Amino acid sequence: GIGLRDMIVWNRCFMMKHLWHIMGGRESLWIRWVHHRYFREGQDQPADAALDWQEHTRDSPLIKGIIRARDQIVSLDRGGLTVTQLLESWCVGGKFSVAAAYDALRPRRPEVTWAREVWPTHGTPKHSFMLWMATLQRLPTYDRLHYLDVDPRCLFCDAEGETHDHLFFLCPCTMQIWSEICHSFRLPGTLTSIGLALDWLRTHARGRSCLDMARVYSLQATVYYIWHARNARAHDGNVIPPASLIRWITTHVYRLLYARFPSATVMAMRG
């Protein structure tokens, strides 16, 4: 969902690049030193020598990292390829490509369908992050804080337990806010959850028009400011009126739109 690299795998790919240079006998002072220091006398093939290389406690962290990268390659299902052939398959223009190796080795997870709506172009990063957390139901709502001695009821309506589904947007108070935002940006009033909203946006707001982006930004801002108001009540006892939240949300959305689109386009969308 967030598109961050696995830095352990990324670093291991750089170790594989060093291994490729060692096995290929690249002309450099460091490679010549490695051959002289670590390969057995009379072993003329760097590729064969690197495969027999053993790790010792006296080796530097770099050398140990290269050996562990080699061991990972050896343990892979290479589809009949030798280690050298596999490394060659990750070369682009005769040079080892760390990006190609990472793409082959990185952990794969099921693709999500809501990436574009959660991480839109020119969106507000903290709003995207908050929507991402809420989509995965990882915000610390009271139903996830059983180990704390807290009242689990919703801080907005004080009637039901606080859960992600209740907060976004089954709670009468947050539903009032979301309904006003839906009316302002021409979203259907039946989107009573983040999942339903994301599904609708993926189908009906796929373009890059001013209205499409306004709808995407409005969901992000609504989730962010509802969570902001919830925390203000929980930690500071500060009750933010729904009218203020609605004004903050709409103001933020239009600020993003005016920064991206001509003023005439935004004014035409507003009607």
Side-chain angles (χ1 to χ4, degrees):
I2 195 171
L4 296 177
R5 288 193 179 104
D6 186 322
M7 297 310 297
I8 295 177
V9 178
W10 184 250
N11 185 65
R12 188 65 56 83
C13 291
F14 273 100
M15 297 299 103
M16 293 176 184
K17 182 176 182 178
H18 287 308
L19 177 65
W20 168 249
H21 289 160
I22 292 171
M23 295 176 69
R26 181 186 180 189
E27 283 297 326
S28 75
L29 180 61
W30 182 75
I31 297 296
R32 292 170 61 187
W33 176 82
V34 169
H35 286 185
H36 175 76
R37 174 69 177 79
Y38 290 96
F39 293 167
R40 296 194 301 270
E41 184 178 356
Q43 196 163 13
D44 298 328
Q45 297 297 326
D48 296 337
L51 294 179
D52 295 334
W53 205 352
Q54 299 298 319
E55 179 180 335
H56 299 285
T57 56
R58 67 178 181 274
D59 292 336
S60 69
L62 175 60
I63 296 299
K64 291 178 180 178
I66 294 172
I67 295 174
R68 290 165 188 167
R70 179 211 59 194
D71 292 342
Q72 180 179 357
I73 296 175
V74 171
S75 66
L76 290 175
D77 180 7
R78 302 188 300 276
L81 297 177
T82 65
V83 172
T84 303
Q85 290 171 334
L86 182 62
L87 290 172
E88 286 177 348
S89 70
W90 296 334
C91 291
V92 178
K95 296 182 178 181
F96 188 88
S97 172
V98 173
Y102 179 79
D103 188 61
L105 298 175
R106 67 182 177 88
R108 306 261 177 189
R109 295 180 177 86
E111 293 187 7
V112 297
T113 58
W114 37 256
R116 179 188 170 278
E117 290 72 33
V118 172
W119 304 99
T121 305
H122 305 298
T124 304
K126 61 182 179 180
H127 290 194
S128 296
F129 181 79
M130 196 63 66
L131 178 57
W132 177 63
M133 292 285 287
T135 302
L136 298 177
Q137 297 198 354
R138 291 295 185 268
L139 293 174
T141 50
Y142 282 147
D143 65 316
R144 292 170 52 84
L145 301 175
H146 295 299
Y147 57 90
L148 297 178
D149 185 19
V150 294
D151 187 347
R153 288 178 296 178
C154 173
L155 292 167
F156 288 98
C157 68
D158 198 34
E160 297 187 30
E162 183 187 80
T163 66
H164 281 82
D165 290 337
H166 177 77
L167 198 58
F168 311 107
F169 303 100
L170 296 177
C171 172
C173 299
T174 59
M175 172 56 77
Q176 175 191 354
I177 298 169
W178 177 231
S179 297
E180 289 292 332
I181 299 303
C182 288
H183 177 74
S184 298
F185 297 104
R186 298 174 229 170
L187 289 157
T190 56
L191 307 180
T192 56
S193 71
I194 291 176
L196 290 175
L198 290 173
D199 289 341
W200 190 92
L201 290 173
R202 187 171 61 254
T203 304
H204 298 88
R206 296 179 59 87
R208 299 291 180 179
S209 69
C210 184
L211 180 58
D212 288 340
M213 298 312 300
R215 289 165 167 170
V216 172
Y217 294 150
S218 66
L219 174 62
Q220 288 192 321
T222 301
V223 170
Y224 175 83
Y225 280 109
I226 285 177
W227 187 249
H228 171 78
R230 179 264 188 199
N231 285 341
R233 294 191 183 210
H235 304 304
D236 302 325
N238 183 20
V239 178
I240 303 175
S244 296
L245 292 175
I246 293 169
R247 184 175 67 255
W248 293 350
I249 294 167
T250 54
T251 299
H252 185 85
V253 171
Y254 281 116
R255 185 182 297 118
L256 292 174
L257 295 177
Y258 277 115
R260 182 173 181 183
F261 297 96
S263 298
T265 303
V266 180
M267 293 299 293
M269 188 209 72
R270 298 182 69 170

Short mmCIF file of all heavy atoms in Angstrom, two decimals, residues 107-142:
data_model
loop_
_atom_site.label_atom_id
_atom_site.label_comp_id
_atom_site.label_asym_id
_atom_site.label_seq_id
_atom_site.Cartn_x
_atom_site.Cartn_y
_atom_site.Cartn_z
N PRO A 107 9.95 -9.24 -1.34
CA PRO A 107 8.75 -9.98 -0.92
C PRO A 107 7.52 -9.46 -1.64
O PRO A 107 7.34 -8.25 -1.82
CB PRO A 107 8.68 -9.70 0.59
CG PRO A 107 9.49 -8.45 0.79
CD PRO A 107 10.56 -8.46 -0.25
N ARG A 108 6.70 -10.36 -2.10
CA ARG A 108 5.49 -10.01 -2.86
C ARG A 108 4.27 -10.20 -1.97
O ARG A 108 4.10 -11.22 -1.33
CB ARG A 108 5.36 -10.90 -4.08
CG ARG A 108 6.60 -10.88 -4.97
CD ARG A 108 6.43 -9.96 -6.13
NE ARG A 108 7.62 -9.89 -6.95
CZ ARG A 108 7.78 -9.04 -7.92
NH1 ARG A 108 6.83 -8.17 -8.19
NH2 ARG A 108 8.90 -9.01 -8.62
N ARG A 109 3.43 -9.20 -1.96
CA ARG A 109 2.17 -9.27 -1.23
C ARG A 109 1.03 -8.98 -2.19
O ARG A 109 1.25 -8.39 -3.25
CB ARG A 109 2.17 -8.27 -0.07
CG ARG A 109 3.21 -8.60 1.00
CD ARG A 109 3.18 -7.59 2.14
NE ARG A 109 4.13 -7.92 3.19
CZ ARG A 109 5.40 -7.57 3.18
NH1 ARG A 109 5.89 -6.85 2.17
NH2 ARG A 109 6.21 -7.92 4.17
N PRO A 110 -0.18 -9.39 -1.84
CA PRO A 110 -1.30 -9.13 -2.75
C PRO A 110 -1.45 -7.63 -3.03
O PRO A 110 -1.33 -6.80 -2.13
CB PRO A 110 -2.51 -9.67 -1.96
CG PRO A 110 -1.94 -10.67 -1.02
CD PRO A 110 -0.58 -10.16 -0.65
N GLU A 111 -1.67 -7.30 -4.29
CA GLU A 111 -1.86 -5.90 -4.66
C GLU A 111 -3.20 -5.40 -4.13
O GLU A 111 -4.20 -6.11 -4.15
CB GLU A 111 -1.81 -5.75 -6.17
CG GLU A 111 -0.44 -6.02 -6.78
CD GLU A 111 -0.40 -5.70 -8.26
OE1 GLU A 111 -1.40 -5.13 -8.77
OE2 GLU A 111 0.62 -6.00 -8.90
N VAL A 112 -3.19 -4.17 -3.64
CA VAL A 112 -4.42 -3.57 -3.15
C VAL A 112 -5.07 -2.77 -4.28
O VAL A 112 -4.40 -2.28 -5.19
CB VAL A 112 -4.16 -2.66 -1.94
CG1 VAL A 112 -3.61 -3.48 -0.79
CG2 VAL A 112 -3.18 -1.54 -2.30
N THR A 113 -6.36 -2.62 -4.21
CA THR A 113 -7.10 -1.92 -5.26
C THR A 113 -7.27 -0.44 -4.98
O THR A 113 -7.73 0.30 -5.85
CB THR A 113 -8.49 -2.56 -5.43
OG1 THR A 113 -9.19 -2.50 -4.17
CG2 THR A 113 -8.37 -4.02 -5.84
N TRP A 114 -6.89 0.00 -3.77
CA TRP A 114 -7.20 1.36 -3.38
C TRP A 114 -5.96 2.26 -3.31
O TRP A 114 -6.00 3.35 -2.75
CB TRP A 114 -7.88 1.38 -2.01
CG TRP A 114 -7.36 0.37 -1.02
CD1 TRP A 114 -7.96 -0.81 -0.66
CD2 TRP A 114 -6.12 0.42 -0.27
NE1 TRP A 114 -7.19 -1.48 0.28
CE2 TRP A 114 -6.06 -0.74 0.53
CE3 TRP A 114 -5.08 1.35 -0.19
CZ2 TRP A 114 -5.00 -1.01 1.39
CZ3 TRP A 114 -4.00 1.08 0.66
CH2 TRP A 114 -3.98 -0.09 1.43
N ALA A 115 -4.84 1.83 -3.90
CA ALA A 115 -3.60 2.61 -3.77
C ALA A 115 -3.74 4.02 -4.33
O ALA A 115 -3.28 4.99 -3.73
CB ALA A 115 -2.45 1.87 -4.46
N ARG A 116 -4.37 4.16 -5.49
CA ARG A 116 -4.48 5.47 -6.11
C ARG A 116 -5.34 6.41 -5.28
O ARG A 116 -5.06 7.62 -5.19
CB ARG A 116 -5.09 5.34 -7.51
CG ARG A 116 -5.27 6.67 -8.23
CD ARG A 116 -6.04 6.51 -9.54
NE ARG A 116 -6.40 7.80 -10.08
CZ ARG A 116 -7.44 8.52 -9.70
NH1 ARG A 116 -8.23 8.07 -8.73
NH2 ARG A 116 -7.71 9.69 -10.25
N GLU A 117 -6.38 5.89 -4.66
CA GLU A 117 -7.28 6.74 -3.87
C GLU A 117 -6.65 7.12 -2.52
O GLU A 117 -6.91 8.21 -2.01
CB GLU A 117 -8.62 6.03 -3.63
CG GLU A 117 -9.48 5.88 -4.87
CD GLU A 117 -8.96 4.85 -5.85
OE1 GLU A 117 -8.37 3.85 -5.39
OE2 GLU A 117 -9.13 5.05 -7.07
N VAL A 118 -5.85 6.24 -1.96
CA VAL A 118 -5.23 6.52 -0.67
C VAL A 118 -3.99 7.40 -0.83
O VAL A 118 -3.71 8.24 0.02
CB VAL A 118 -4.87 5.20 0.04
CG1 VAL A 118 -4.06 5.45 1.31
CG2 VAL A 118 -6.16 4.43 0.40
N TRP A 119 -3.26 7.21 -1.92
CA TRP A 119 -2.03 7.96 -2.17
C TRP A 119 -2.14 8.74 -3.47
O TRP A 119 -1.42 8.47 -4.44
CB TRP A 119 -0.83 7.00 -2.23
CG TRP A 119 -0.68 6.16 -1.02
CD1 TRP A 119 -1.07 4.87 -0.85
CD2 TRP A 119 -0.09 6.56 0.23
NE1 TRP A 119 -0.77 4.43 0.41
CE2 TRP A 119 -0.17 5.44 1.10
CE3 TRP A 119 0.49 7.74 0.70
CZ2 TRP A 119 0.31 5.47 2.40
CZ3 TRP A 119 0.97 7.77 1.99
CH2 TRP A 119 0.89 6.66 2.83
N PRO A 120 -3.03 9.72 -3.55
CA PRO A 120 -3.24 10.45 -4.81
C PRO A 120 -2.10 11.43 -5.09
O PRO A 120 -1.35 11.82 -4.20
CB PRO A 120 -4.55 11.19 -4.56
CG PRO A 120 -4.54 11.45 -3.09
CD PRO A 120 -3.89 10.24 -2.48
N THR A 121 -2.02 11.83 -6.34
CA THR A 121 -1.03 12.83 -6.74
C THR A 121 -1.34 14.17 -6.08
O THR A 121 -2.50 14.60 -6.05
CB THR A 121 -1.03 12.98 -8.26
OG1 THR A 121 -0.83 11.70 -8.86
CG2 THR A 121 0.08 13.92 -8.72
N HIS A 122 -0.33 14.81 -5.57
CA HIS A 122 -0.45 16.14 -4.96
C HIS A 122 -1.36 16.15 -3.73
O HIS A 122 -1.88 17.20 -3.36
CB HIS A 122 -0.96 17.18 -5.97
CG HIS A 122 -0.13 17.25 -7.22
ND1 HIS A 122 1.19 17.60 -7.21
CD2 HIS A 122 -0.45 16.98 -8.52
CE1 HIS A 122 1.66 17.58 -8.45
NE2 HIS A 122 0.69 17.21 -9.26
N GLY A 123 -1.56 14.99 -3.11
CA GLY A 123 -2.34 14.95 -1.88
C GLY A 123 -1.53 15.43 -0.70
O GLY A 123 -0.34 15.76 -0.80
N THR A 124 -2.17 15.46 0.45
CA THR A 124 -1.49 15.85 1.69
C THR A 124 -0.94 14.59 2.35
O THR A 124 -1.72 13.70 2.71
CB THR A 124 -2.47 16.56 2.64
OG1 THR A 124 -3.05 17.67 1.96
CG2 THR A 124 -1.76 17.04 3.89
N PRO A 125 0.38 14.47 2.52
CA PRO A 125 0.96 13.22 3.02
C PRO A 125 0.36 12.73 4.32
O PRO A 125 0.07 11.54 4.48
CB PRO A 125 2.45 13.56 3.16
CG PRO A 125 2.69 14.62 2.14
CD PRO A 125 1.43 15.44 2.13
N LYS A 126 0.15 13.62 5.30
CA LYS A 126 -0.37 13.16 6.58
C LYS A 126 -1.82 12.69 6.44
O LYS A 126 -2.26 11.80 7.18
CB LYS A 126 -0.25 14.24 7.65
CG LYS A 126 -1.01 15.52 7.37
CD LYS A 126 -0.76 16.53 8.48
CE LYS A 126 -1.49 17.85 8.25
NZ LYS A 126 -1.23 18.83 9.33
N HIS A 127 -2.57 13.27 5.51
CA HIS A 127 -3.93 12.81 5.26
C HIS A 127 -3.91 11.43 4.61
O HIS A 127 -4.71 10.56 4.95
CB HIS A 127 -4.67 13.80 4.37
CG HIS A 127 -4.98 15.10 5.05
ND1 HIS A 127 -5.88 16.02 4.54
CD2 HIS A 127 -4.52 15.64 6.20
CE1 HIS A 127 -5.94 17.06 5.35
NE2 HIS A 127 -5.12 16.85 6.36
N SER A 128 -2.99 11.24 3.64
CA SER A 128 -2.86 9.93 3.00
C SER A 128 -2.47 8.87 4.02
O SER A 128 -3.02 7.75 4.01
CB SER A 128 -1.81 10.00 1.89
OG SER A 128 -2.20 10.86 0.86
N PHE A 129 -1.53 9.20 4.88
CA PHE A 129 -1.10 8.24 5.89
C PHE A 129 -2.25 7.87 6.83
O PHE A 129 -2.44 6.69 7.16
CB PHE A 129 0.06 8.82 6.69
CG PHE A 129 0.60 7.89 7.74
CD1 PHE A 129 1.45 6.86 7.39
CD2 PHE A 129 0.24 8.04 9.07
CE1 PHE A 129 1.95 5.99 8.36
CE2 PHE A 129 0.74 7.18 10.04
CZ PHE A 129 1.59 6.15 9.68
N MET A 130 -3.04 8.86 7.23
CA MET A 130 -4.15 8.58 8.14
C MET A 130 -5.21 7.71 7.48
O MET A 130 -5.75 6.78 8.09
CB MET A 130 -4.77 9.89 8.62
CG MET A 130 -5.65 9.75 9.85
SD MET A 130 -4.71 9.19 11.29
CE MET A 130 -3.63 10.60 11.55
N LEU A 131 -5.50 7.99 6.20
CA LEU A 131 -6.47 7.17 5.48
C LEU A 131 -5.94 5.76 5.29
O LEU A 131 -6.69 4.79 5.38
CB LEU A 131 -6.79 7.81 4.13
CG LEU A 131 -7.77 7.04 3.24
CD1 LEU A 131 -9.10 6.79 3.96
CD2 LEU A 131 -8.00 7.78 1.93
N TRP A 132 -4.64 5.64 5.03
CA TRP A 132 -4.03 4.32 4.88
C TRP A 132 -4.18 3.52 6.17
O TRP A 132 -4.56 2.33 6.15
CB TRP A 132 -2.55 4.50 4.52
CG TRP A 132 -1.76 3.24 4.41
CD1 TRP A 132 -1.96 2.22 3.52
CD2 TRP A 132 -0.63 2.86 5.21
NE1 TRP A 132 -1.01 1.23 3.71
CE2 TRP A 132 -0.19 1.60 4.74
CE3 TRP A 132 0.05 3.48 6.25
CZ2 TRP A 132 0.91 0.95 5.29
CZ3 TRP A 132 1.15 2.83 6.80
CH2 TRP A 132 1.56 1.57 6.33
N MET A 133 -3.90 4.14 7.31
CA MET A 133 -4.04 3.46 8.60
C MET A 133 -5.49 3.06 8.86
O MET A 133 -5.77 1.96 9.34
CB MET A 133 -3.53 4.38 9.71
CG MET A 133 -2.03 4.63 9.69
SD MET A 133 -1.09 3.21 10.29
CE MET A 133 -1.43 3.31 12.05
N ALA A 134 -6.41 3.97 8.53
CA ALA A 134 -7.82 3.68 8.76
C ALA A 134 -8.31 2.57 7.83
O ALA A 134 -9.13 1.73 8.23
CB ALA A 134 -8.65 4.94 8.56
N THR A 135 -7.83 2.56 6.59
CA THR A 135 -8.22 1.52 5.64
C THR A 135 -7.78 0.15 6.13
O THR A 135 -8.51 -0.84 5.99
CB THR A 135 -7.60 1.81 4.26
OG1 THR A 135 -8.04 3.10 3.82
CG2 THR A 135 -8.02 0.77 3.25
N LEU A 136 -6.60 0.08 6.70
CA LEU A 136 -6.09 -1.18 7.25
C LEU A 136 -6.61 -1.47 8.65
O LEU A 136 -6.26 -2.50 9.23
CB LEU A 136 -4.56 -1.14 7.28
CG LEU A 136 -3.85 -1.01 5.93
CD1 LEU A 136 -2.35 -0.91 6.13
CD2 LEU A 136 -4.19 -2.18 5.02
N GLN A 137 -7.41 -0.53 9.19
CA GLN A 137 -7.96 -0.64 10.55
C GLN A 137 -6.84 -0.79 11.58
O GLN A 137 -6.87 -1.67 12.44
CB GLN A 137 -8.95 -1.79 10.65
CG GLN A 137 -10.18 -1.61 9.76
CD GLN A 137 -11.34 -2.48 10.16
OE1 GLN A 137 -11.24 -3.34 11.03
NE2 GLN A 137 -12.49 -2.24 9.54
N ARG A 138 -5.87 0.11 11.47
CA ARG A 138 -4.73 0.09 12.39
C ARG A 138 -4.68 1.32 13.29
O ARG A 138 -3.70 1.48 14.03
CB ARG A 138 -3.42 -0.02 11.59
CG ARG A 138 -3.23 -1.37 10.91
CD ARG A 138 -3.09 -2.49 11.93
NE ARG A 138 -2.79 -3.77 11.32
CZ ARG A 138 -3.70 -4.65 10.96
NH1 ARG A 138 -4.99 -4.38 11.16
NH2 ARG A 138 -3.35 -5.80 10.42
N LEU A 139 -5.67 2.17 13.23
CA LEU A 139 -5.70 3.29 14.16
C LEU A 139 -6.02 2.77 15.57
O LEU A 139 -6.78 1.80 15.72
CB LEU A 139 -6.76 4.32 13.73
CG LEU A 139 -6.48 5.07 12.43
CD1 LEU A 139 -7.68 5.94 12.06
CD2 LEU A 139 -5.23 5.93 12.55
N PRO A 140 -5.46 3.39 16.60
CA PRO A 140 -5.69 2.89 17.97
C PRO A 140 -7.06 3.28 18.52
O PRO A 140 -7.18 4.04 19.48
CB PRO A 140 -4.55 3.55 18.76
CG PRO A 140 -4.27 4.82 18.03
CD PRO A 140 -4.48 4.52 16.58
N THR A 141 -8.11 2.73 17.91
CA THR A 141 -9.45 2.93 18.44
C THR A 141 -9.60 2.13 19.73
O THR A 141 -8.82 1.21 20.01
CB THR A 141 -10.50 2.49 17.41
OG1 THR A 141 -10.16 1.17 16.93
CG2 THR A 141 -10.53 3.44 16.22
N TYR A 142 -10.62 2.46 20.51
CA TYR A 142 -10.74 1.85 21.83
C TYR A 142 -10.94 0.34 21.78
O TYR A 142 -10.58 -0.38 22.72
CB TYR A 142 -11.89 2.50 22.59
CG TYR A 142 -11.53 3.86 23.16
CD1 TYR A 142 -12.48 4.87 23.27
CD2 TYR A 142 -10.24 4.13 23.60
CE1 TYR A 142 -12.15 6.12 23.79
CE2 TYR A 142 -9.90 5.36 24.13
CZ TYR A 142 -10.86 6.36 24.22
OH TYR A 142 -10.53 7.59 24.73
#
